[in-house]
Amino acid sequence: MLQSILTETMFSKVAIWSFKIIVIIILFTWVLKRIILTKNAINNSSIKVLERISVGSNVSIVVLDVKEMRLVIGVTSTNISILYKLPPVIEKGKQGLSIKSEDIENIKKDLSHVFGIKQ
């Protein structure tokens, strides 16, 4: 009789631990799927941040690809403004930005006026 009670207690403990392990495995699988789906949704987004440059404590310039457009935006703590709309770049691999040197000079000139920097 004592042996049958001990056997039943051991069986119930093993059953409970097995159930807990199965629940943990199912929860872990669910969390992993959610992480992977979220990561894929972010990677498939039509907005990609190409580069971010900090200009001041709360000011930065960001280069974005938005669908078929490339934007240069200024971001402050209170405002976001489009500084330039660049033509889309057809990538033949993973290359950087293809901007003409005269465009760079115009961007520098306009940004110096926006941020009050003297050249």
Side-chain angles (χ1 to χ4, degrees), residues 41-107:
I42 291 171
N43 289 341
N44 293 333
S45 174
S46 61
I47 299 175
K48 295 200 186 325
V49 176
L50 299 177
E51 193 165 348
R52 178 182 207 108
I53 300 169
S54 179
V55 179
S57 61
N58 290 329
V59 180
S60 59
I61 298 172
V62 181
V63 180
L64 300 172
D65 266 348
V66 181
K67 292 193 179 185
E68 301 206 2
M69 197 187 290
R70 185 160 283 183
L71 299 174
V72 179
I73 62 172
V75 180
T76 67
S77 59
T78 58
N79 193 13
I80 298 173
S81 57
I82 297 175
L83 303 176
Y84 281 98
K85 292 180 183 178
L86 300 171
V89 176
I90 300 171
E91 297 184 17
K92 300 176 185 173
K94 294 197 175 185
Q95 298 175 340
L97 298 174
S98 62
I99 303 172
K100 299 176 186 172
S101 60
E102 59 265 9
D103 289 338
I104 293 174
E105 292 304 317
N106 289 336
I107 291 171

Side-chain angles (χ1 to χ4, degrees), residues 74 81 83 107-117:
S81 57
L83 303 176
I107 291 171
K108 284 182 183 177
K109 192 183 302 179
D110 290 343
L111 289 178
S112 65
H113 292 297
V114 169
F115 295 108
I117 302 170

